[in-house]
Amino acid sequence: MPAFSALWQALDEHYRNTVSIHMRDQFAADPQRFDRMHETLHGLLFDYSKNRVDETALTLLCRLAEAAGLPQQMAAMRCGEKINTSENRAVLHTALRLPENAEAVYVDGENIVPKVHHELKRALAFARSILDGSHTGVSGKRITDFVHIGIGGSDLGPKVCTQALKNYQQQVRVHFVGNSDDAEMTNKLVGLNPETTVFSIASKSFGTPETLLNAQAAREWYRSAGLPEAGIGRHFCAISSNTEAARRFGIEAERVFAMFDWVGGRYSVWSAIGLPVMVALGEAHFRALLQGAHAMDEHFFHTGFRHNIPVLMALLHVWYNNFYQADGHTVVPYSHNLRRFPSWLNQLDMESCGKSRTIDGSEAELKTGGIMFGEEGVNCQHAYFQLLHQGTRLIPCDFIVPMTTPHNIGRQHRFTVANAFAQAEALMKGKTYEEALAELAHLPEAKRLALAPHKVFPGNRPSNSLLIDSLNPFNLGMLLAAYEHRTFAEGVIWGINPFDQWGVEYGKVLAKAIEPELDNGTPEHDSSTNGLITFYRQCQQAV
Ligand code: F6P
């Protein structure tokens, strides 16, 4: 048990005392429940009233966060202490969205704020030169397409932002290639002209084989069009903290944009990794994205836990994960343009909190992490929502819903919003056996009795609603930053390091050994792996 075990026990007791209370009854007994259990920040409304909590649970949970040392960890993060202990790194994605005149933040004795803005301006200037046509391809033609090559954190953040803010798109088309599977690169290059395409190779380490393979394929594609080697510098740029490796790849220093050692990949969209977003949206909108994230940082760092949106999100996640033993957490954006948001969150949360060792290396006693998944609404209502409503598992849900849209096709947006609200209501209220029976009054008695049990919804299934007045850069910045801080806060409560990712290394090492064995040699693995390798060879011989 963690040091704050007394609080943990108090929460456990409170859980057992309240687990059978239905939210329906809580709403009926307290007409002010929504008033007490929602927060607003700029264009965001966070409604957490449809959760299985009362004031006592919230008070205990806030005390838990304090006892876990969250206030101290927040302060340590903010001022650049090396809280990513296993990698001996500071964690300063929040510094990337500080205004230029912000107070100094020191890493190893150096104020990093001027450095952040220097690098931001370099990336913005390059994006601007592509957009205004002053940076042309090797044959003098205007750039029409920008292909961003990267994976994981070097891909998901910029992809989500570019897609989400499609309505702000400028004239250059932006594409993303992440997978090493050759289909993605092949598909993306169809219809592109090497003379008018710029590639960015994004890799913090500049050692990720998927990204380097794709980068080589892109370079081959450029060369095979007969374009001069000297033009590589006009068509390739790199974003990396390993600037030396980027240069060795053949990208000139002027086109290498620095990522900082103290920014984790999955927290990096605010850095030069955001270059494709800058190209897609232009400077003003990218700056608005940063400002939105900064507004959430200010809220996170300066608001008491009881009204702190990311902290409340984290505490509710811990409440269900550790007391209710929830089986997962789903996040549903009711917006087609936000459809990749669940994938971004999936990496953010699961790569951060999927740890079974606490920060000091001992075995974690608490259940850490959570299974995060999601799909755009309303599509998911016609897919996995059945399980949320009537399955035997508890899966809390976050509904993310923009209130307005620029499209205005008929009543489509209103219909979509109504569905989001209805799902949250249905999950909370449920439908009793008596209500189901009453609905079937028109049927013969035997049929009514047979059908009614299938129409019962247990309800009492929790959800948060995160409503934004519109899907604009500022609100998107707030939203992403809220989930970043939620992840950090829950990591602190579980006692783990949410900023390293050693678990992804092992498979990479084994892949290195297996790849040459796919061609020849005697594989010496377990019988299953050997069998898979043999089958691969057979298939290769057959084509
Ligand atoms: O394999 C996981 C990971 O290390 C992520 O943490 C990271 O976002 C991704 O790979 C890409 O790494 P890089 O930016 O160094 O290529």
Side-chain angles (χ1 to χ4, degrees), residues 14-41:
H14 189 68
Y15 157 73
R16 278 186 274 107
N17 291 338
T18 55
V19 65
S20 54
I21 295 176
H22 203 291
M23 278 189 279
R24 234 182 206 232
D25 300 326
Q26 289 177 313
F27 272 98
D30 176 10
Q32 311 304 322
R33 188 171 168 87
F34 170 78
D35 293 342
R36 287 190 301 101
M37 294 192 187
H38 82 272
E39 300 294 335
T40 53
L41 183 66

mmCIF file of all heavy atoms in Angstrom, residues 14-41:
data_model
loop_
_atom_site.group_PDB
_atom_site.id
_atom_site.type_symbol
_atom_site.label_atom_id
_atom_site.label_comp_id
_atom_site.label_asym_id
_atom_site.label_seq_id
_atom_site.Cartn_x
_atom_site.Cartn_y
_atom_site.Cartn_z
ATOM 1 N N HIS A 14 -15.601 4.214 1.581
ATOM 2 C CA HIS A 14 -16.638 5.068 1.006
ATOM 3 C C HIS A 14 -17.199 4.431 -0.267
ATOM 4 O O HIS A 14 -18.407 4.485 -0.518
ATOM 5 C CB HIS A 14 -16.080 6.455 0.702
ATOM 6 C CG HIS A 14 -17.143 7.425 0.317
ATOM 7 N ND1 HIS A 14 -18.106 7.878 1.200
ATOM 8 C CD2 HIS A 14 -17.445 7.995 -0.882
ATOM 9 C CE1 HIS A 14 -18.935 8.688 0.571
ATOM 10 N NE2 HIS A 14 -18.563 8.776 -0.697
ATOM 11 N N TYR A 15 -16.312 3.831 -1.032
ATOM 12 C CA TYR A 15 -16.757 3.131 -2.247
ATOM 13 C C TYR A 15 -17.777 2.052 -1.867
ATOM 14 O O TYR A 15 -18.863 1.963 -2.452
ATOM 15 C CB TYR A 15 -15.548 2.528 -2.971
ATOM 16 C CG TYR A 15 -15.904 1.363 -3.863
ATOM 17 C CD1 TYR A 15 -16.575 1.567 -5.066
ATOM 18 C CD2 TYR A 15 -15.608 0.057 -3.473
ATOM 19 C CE1 TYR A 15 -16.933 0.496 -5.867
ATOM 20 C CE2 TYR A 15 -15.968 -1.012 -4.270
ATOM 21 C CZ TYR A 15 -16.633 -0.794 -5.464
ATOM 22 O OH TYR A 15 -17.008 -1.853 -6.245
ATOM 23 N N ARG A 16 -17.424 1.235 -0.848
ATOM 24 C CA ARG A 16 -18.326 0.130 -0.476
ATOM 25 C C ARG A 16 -19.656 0.643 0.069
ATOM 26 O O ARG A 16 -20.705 0.066 -0.168
ATOM 27 C CB ARG A 16 -17.629 -0.822 0.507
ATOM 28 C CG ARG A 16 -16.724 -1.810 -0.288
ATOM 29 C CD ARG A 16 -16.074 -2.893 0.524
ATOM 30 N NE ARG A 16 -14.832 -2.421 1.104
ATOM 31 C CZ ARG A 16 -14.653 -2.139 2.386
ATOM 32 N NH1 ARG A 16 -15.659 -2.274 3.242
ATOM 33 N NH2 ARG A 16 -13.494 -1.721 2.841
ATOM 34 N N ASN A 17 -19.608 1.780 0.757
ATOM 35 C CA ASN A 17 -20.848 2.349 1.301
ATOM 36 C C ASN A 17 -21.745 2.978 0.247
ATOM 37 O O ASN A 17 -22.933 3.151 0.467
ATOM 38 C CB ASN A 17 -20.525 3.442 2.341
ATOM 39 C CG ASN A 17 -19.908 2.833 3.579
ATOM 40 O OD1 ASN A 17 -20.089 1.651 3.847
ATOM 41 N ND2 ASN A 17 -19.158 3.630 4.320
ATOM 42 N N THR A 18 -21.150 3.363 -0.884
ATOM 43 C CA THR A 18 -21.942 4.136 -1.859
ATOM 44 C C THR A 18 -22.136 3.419 -3.196
ATOM 45 O O THR A 18 -22.843 3.926 -4.061
ATOM 46 C CB THR A 18 -21.254 5.497 -2.145
ATOM 47 O OG1 THR A 18 -19.905 5.238 -2.556
ATOM 48 C CG2 THR A 18 -21.270 6.394 -0.932
ATOM 49 N N VAL A 19 -21.511 2.250 -3.340
ATOM 50 C CA VAL A 19 -21.510 1.600 -4.657
ATOM 51 C C VAL A 19 -22.927 1.279 -5.158
ATOM 52 O O VAL A 19 -23.177 1.262 -6.369
ATOM 53 C CB VAL A 19 -20.605 0.336 -4.642
ATOM 54 C CG1 VAL A 19 -21.134 -0.731 -3.717
ATOM 55 C CG2 VAL A 19 -20.399 -0.217 -6.050
ATOM 56 N N SER A 20 -23.853 1.092 -4.250
ATOM 57 C CA SER A 20 -25.193 0.725 -4.721
ATOM 58 C C SER A 20 -26.088 1.946 -4.949
ATOM 59 O O SER A 20 -27.244 1.799 -5.354
ATOM 60 C CB SER A 20 -25.847 -0.241 -3.728
ATOM 61 O OG SER A 20 -25.812 0.361 -2.466
ATOM 62 N N ILE A 21 -25.570 3.117 -4.708
ATOM 63 C CA ILE A 21 -26.392 4.320 -4.950
ATOM 64 C C ILE A 21 -26.473 4.573 -6.454
ATOM 65 O O ILE A 21 -25.461 4.474 -7.162
ATOM 66 C CB ILE A 21 -25.770 5.551 -4.239
ATOM 67 C CG1 ILE A 21 -25.811 5.333 -2.723
ATOM 68 C CG2 ILE A 21 -26.495 6.837 -4.620
ATOM 69 C CD1 ILE A 21 -25.139 6.440 -1.928
ATOM 70 N N HIS A 22 -27.661 4.891 -6.916
ATOM 71 C CA HIS A 22 -27.851 5.139 -8.358
ATOM 72 C C HIS A 22 -27.802 6.642 -8.625
ATOM 73 O O HIS A 22 -28.393 7.429 -7.888
ATOM 74 C CB HIS A 22 -29.189 4.546 -8.811
ATOM 75 C CG HIS A 22 -29.219 4.252 -10.285
ATOM 76 N ND1 HIS A 22 -29.220 5.247 -11.238
ATOM 77 C CD2 HIS A 22 -29.232 3.070 -10.971
ATOM 78 C CE1 HIS A 22 -29.254 4.691 -12.451
ATOM 79 N NE2 HIS A 22 -29.245 3.373 -12.320
ATOM 80 N N MET A 23 -27.098 7.008 -9.702
ATOM 81 C CA MET A 23 -26.990 8.434 -10.035
ATOM 82 C C MET A 23 -28.358 9.067 -10.304
ATOM 83 O O MET A 23 -28.559 10.241 -10.046
ATOM 84 C CB MET A 23 -26.105 8.609 -11.277
ATOM 85 C CG MET A 23 -24.628 8.586 -10.984
ATOM 86 S SD MET A 23 -23.685 9.063 -12.440
ATOM 87 C CE MET A 23 -23.639 7.556 -13.367
ATOM 88 N N ARG A 24 -29.271 8.254 -10.801
ATOM 89 C CA ARG A 24 -30.650 8.721 -10.991
ATOM 90 C C ARG A 24 -31.188 9.348 -9.705
ATOM 91 O O ARG A 24 -31.794 10.412 -9.721
ATOM 92 C CB ARG A 24 -31.492 7.466 -11.238
ATOM 93 C CG ARG A 24 -32.316 7.443 -12.448
ATOM 94 C CD ARG A 24 -33.063 6.117 -12.377
ATOM 95 N NE ARG A 24 -33.398 5.714 -13.720
ATOM 96 C CZ ARG A 24 -34.620 5.385 -14.103
ATOM 97 N NH1 ARG A 24 -35.611 5.363 -13.246
ATOM 98 N NH2 ARG A 24 -34.846 5.046 -15.350
ATOM 99 N N ASP A 25 -30.957 8.632 -8.620
ATOM 100 C CA ASP A 25 -31.464 9.099 -7.331
ATOM 101 C C ASP A 25 -30.691 10.321 -6.858
ATOM 102 O O ASP A 25 -31.259 11.226 -6.244
ATOM 103 C CB ASP A 25 -31.384 7.970 -6.280
ATOM 104 C CG ASP A 25 -32.215 6.776 -6.717
ATOM 105 O OD1 ASP A 25 -33.271 7.007 -7.357
ATOM 106 O OD2 ASP A 25 -31.797 5.618 -6.485
ATOM 107 N N GLN A 26 -29.404 10.324 -7.159
ATOM 108 C CA GLN A 26 -28.601 11.491 -6.751
ATOM 109 C C GLN A 26 -29.085 12.748 -7.478
ATOM 110 O O GLN A 26 -29.192 13.811 -6.885
ATOM 111 C CB GLN A 26 -27.111 11.253 -7.045
ATOM 112 C CG GLN A 26 -26.504 10.221 -6.099
ATOM 113 C CD GLN A 26 -25.054 9.920 -6.428
ATOM 114 O OE1 GLN A 26 -24.704 9.690 -7.578
ATOM 115 N NE2 GLN A 26 -24.215 9.913 -5.415
ATOM 116 N N PHE A 27 -29.391 12.602 -8.764
ATOM 117 C CA PHE A 27 -29.914 13.759 -9.512
ATOM 118 C C PHE A 27 -31.284 14.172 -8.985
ATOM 119 O O PHE A 27 -31.578 15.355 -8.849
ATOM 120 C CB PHE A 27 -29.982 13.448 -11.011
ATOM 121 C CG PHE A 27 -28.700 13.770 -11.728
ATOM 122 C CD1 PHE A 27 -27.771 12.781 -12.007
ATOM 123 C CD2 PHE A 27 -28.414 15.077 -12.115
ATOM 124 C CE1 PHE A 27 -26.580 13.070 -12.658
ATOM 125 C CE2 PHE A 27 -27.221 15.383 -12.767
ATOM 126 C CZ PHE A 27 -26.305 14.376 -13.035
ATOM 127 N N ALA A 28 -32.108 13.178 -8.678
ATOM 128 C CA ALA A 28 -33.454 13.494 -8.208
ATOM 129 C C ALA A 28 -33.388 14.211 -6.854
ATOM 130 O O ALA A 28 -34.156 15.142 -6.586
ATOM 131 C CB ALA A 28 -34.268 12.204 -8.091
ATOM 132 N N ALA A 29 -32.428 13.810 -6.025
ATOM 133 C CA ALA A 29 -32.355 14.375 -4.679
ATOM 134 C C ALA A 29 -31.679 15.748 -4.660
ATOM 135 O O ALA A 29 -31.827 16.494 -3.698
ATOM 136 C CB ALA A 29 -31.583 13.414 -3.766
ATOM 137 N N ASP A 30 -30.965 16.060 -5.715
ATOM 138 C CA ASP A 30 -30.179 17.301 -5.688
ATOM 139 C C ASP A 30 -30.276 18.039 -7.016
ATOM 140 O O ASP A 30 -29.491 17.811 -7.931
ATOM 141 C CB ASP A 30 -28.706 16.928 -5.406
ATOM 142 C CG ASP A 30 -27.805 18.151 -5.449
ATOM 143 O OD1 ASP A 30 -28.322 19.285 -5.500
ATOM 144 O OD2 ASP A 30 -26.571 17.960 -5.421
ATOM 145 N N PRO A 31 -31.232 18.949 -7.118
ATOM 146 C CA PRO A 31 -31.397 19.673 -8.387
ATOM 147 C C PRO A 31 -30.182 20.547 -8.736
ATOM 148 O O PRO A 31 -30.033 20.967 -9.874
ATOM 149 C CB PRO A 31 -32.636 20.548 -8.144
ATOM 150 C CG PRO A 31 -33.250 20.063 -6.868
ATOM 151 C CD PRO A 31 -32.212 19.337 -6.092
ATOM 152 N N GLN A 32 -29.335 20.802 -7.762
ATOM 153 C CA GLN A 32 -28.152 21.648 -8.013
ATOM 154 C C GLN A 32 -26.924 20.817 -8.426
ATOM 155 O O GLN A 32 -25.824 21.339 -8.486
ATOM 156 C CB GLN A 32 -27.760 22.447 -6.744
ATOM 157 C CG GLN A 32 -28.876 23.175 -6.058
ATOM 158 C CD GLN A 32 -29.583 24.123 -7.001
ATOM 159 O OE1 GLN A 32 -28.946 24.761 -7.831
ATOM 160 N NE2 GLN A 32 -30.898 24.179 -6.926
ATOM 161 N N ARG A 33 -27.111 19.523 -8.646
ATOM 162 C CA ARG A 33 -25.948 18.662 -8.869
ATOM 163 C C ARG A 33 -25.071 19.163 -10.032
ATOM 164 O O ARG A 33 -23.853 19.234 -9.914
ATOM 165 C CB ARG A 33 -26.417 17.219 -9.120
ATOM 166 C CG ARG A 33 -25.266 16.219 -9.163
ATOM 167 C CD ARG A 33 -25.790 14.795 -9.200
ATOM 168 N NE ARG A 33 -24.729 13.854 -9.513
ATOM 169 C CZ ARG A 33 -23.908 13.292 -8.624
ATOM 170 N NH1 ARG A 33 -24.042 13.569 -7.339
ATOM 171 N NH2 ARG A 33 -22.960 12.464 -8.992
ATOM 172 N N PHE A 34 -25.711 19.504 -11.132
ATOM 173 C CA PHE A 34 -24.920 20.006 -12.271
ATOM 174 C C PHE A 34 -24.180 21.290 -11.873
ATOM 175 O O PHE A 34 -23.003 21.467 -12.191
ATOM 176 C CB PHE A 34 -25.824 20.255 -13.485
ATOM 177 C CG PHE A 34 -25.132 20.995 -14.597
ATOM 178 C CD1 PHE A 34 -24.252 20.346 -15.452
ATOM 179 C CD2 PHE A 34 -25.342 22.362 -14.786
ATOM 180 C CE1 PHE A 34 -23.584 21.037 -16.475
ATOM 181 C CE2 PHE A 34 -24.688 23.056 -15.805
ATOM 182 C CZ PHE A 34 -23.813 22.390 -16.652
ATOM 183 N N ASP A 35 -24.881 22.199 -11.173
ATOM 184 C CA ASP A 35 -24.242 23.465 -10.783
ATOM 185 C C ASP A 35 -22.990 23.207 -9.957
ATOM 186 O O ASP A 35 -21.978 23.890 -10.110
ATOM 187 C CB ASP A 35 -25.206 24.328 -9.959
ATOM 188 C CG ASP A 35 -26.372 24.803 -10.796
ATOM 189 O OD1 ASP A 35 -26.245 24.748 -12.036
ATOM 190 O OD2 ASP A 35 -27.396 25.197 -10.225
ATOM 191 N N ARG A 36 -23.062 22.225 -9.089
ATOM 192 C CA ARG A 36 -21.918 21.941 -8.216
ATOM 193 C C ARG A 36 -20.827 21.145 -8.926
ATOM 194 O O ARG A 36 -19.688 21.143 -8.486
ATOM 195 C CB ARG A 36 -22.387 21.161 -6.976
ATOM 196 C CG ARG A 36 -23.161 21.990 -5.963
ATOM 197 C CD ARG A 36 -23.379 21.248 -4.660
ATOM 198 N NE ARG A 36 -24.111 19.993 -4.825
ATOM 199 C CZ ARG A 36 -23.568 18.798 -4.847
ATOM 200 N NH1 ARG A 36 -22.271 18.647 -4.714
ATOM 201 N NH2 ARG A 36 -24.311 17.713 -5.002
ATOM 202 N N MET A 37 -21.224 20.436 -9.965
ATOM 203 C CA MET A 37 -20.272 19.511 -10.574
ATOM 204 C C MET A 37 -20.009 19.816 -12.045
ATOM 205 O O MET A 37 -20.107 18.945 -12.907
ATOM 206 C CB MET A 37 -20.757 18.072 -10.413
ATOM 207 C CG MET A 37 -20.780 17.626 -8.969
ATOM 208 S SD MET A 37 -21.008 15.858 -8.862
ATOM 209 C CE MET A 37 -21.207 15.660 -7.099
ATOM 210 N N HIS A 38 -19.740 21.057 -12.315
ATOM 211 C CA HIS A 38 -19.200 21.357 -13.634
ATOM 212 C C HIS A 38 -18.255 22.545 -13.485
ATOM 213 O O HIS A 38 -18.336 23.300 -12.511
ATOM 214 C CB HIS A 38 -20.304 21.632 -14.662
ATOM 215 C CG HIS A 38 -20.848 23.017 -14.629
ATOM 216 N ND1 HIS A 38 -21.885 23.409 -13.819
ATOM 217 C CD2 HIS A 38 -20.482 24.128 -15.335
ATOM 218 C CE1 HIS A 38 -22.148 24.686 -14.012
ATOM 219 N NE2 HIS A 38 -21.315 25.154 -14.919
ATOM 220 N N GLU A 39 -17.341 22.658 -14.433
ATOM 221 C CA GLU A 39 -16.382 23.769 -14.438
ATOM 222 C C GLU A 39 -16.360 24.347 -15.840
ATOM 223 O O GLU A 39 -16.607 23.627 -16.817
ATOM 224 C CB GLU A 39 -14.964 23.271 -14.091
ATOM 225 C CG GLU A 39 -14.819 22.609 -12.741
ATOM 226 C CD GLU A 39 -15.039 23.560 -11.570
ATOM 227 O OE1 GLU A 39 -14.835 24.781 -11.742
ATOM 228 O OE2 GLU A 39 -15.440 23.089 -10.484
ATOM 229 N N THR A 40 -16.068 25.630 -15.904
ATOM 230 C CA THR A 40 -15.903 26.229 -17.239
ATOM 231 C C THR A 40 -14.536 26.912 -17.305
ATOM 232 O O THR A 40 -14.024 27.407 -16.294
ATOM 233 C CB THR A 40 -16.990 27.282 -17.550
ATOM 234 O OG1 THR A 40 -17.008 28.222 -16.486
ATOM 235 C CG2 THR A 40 -18.351 26.656 -17.693
ATOM 236 N N LEU A 41 -13.974 26.920 -18.477
ATOM 237 C CA LEU A 41 -12.700 27.616 -18.709
ATOM 238 C C LEU A 41 -12.706 28.097 -20.156
ATOM 239 O O LEU A 41 -12.727 27.275 -21.086
ATOM 240 C CB LEU A 41 -11.527 26.655 -18.456
ATOM 241 C CG LEU A 41 -10.132 27.257 -18.590
ATOM 242 C CD1 LEU A 41 -9.873 28.303 -17.513
ATOM 243 C CD2 LEU A 41 -9.072 26.160 -18.512
#
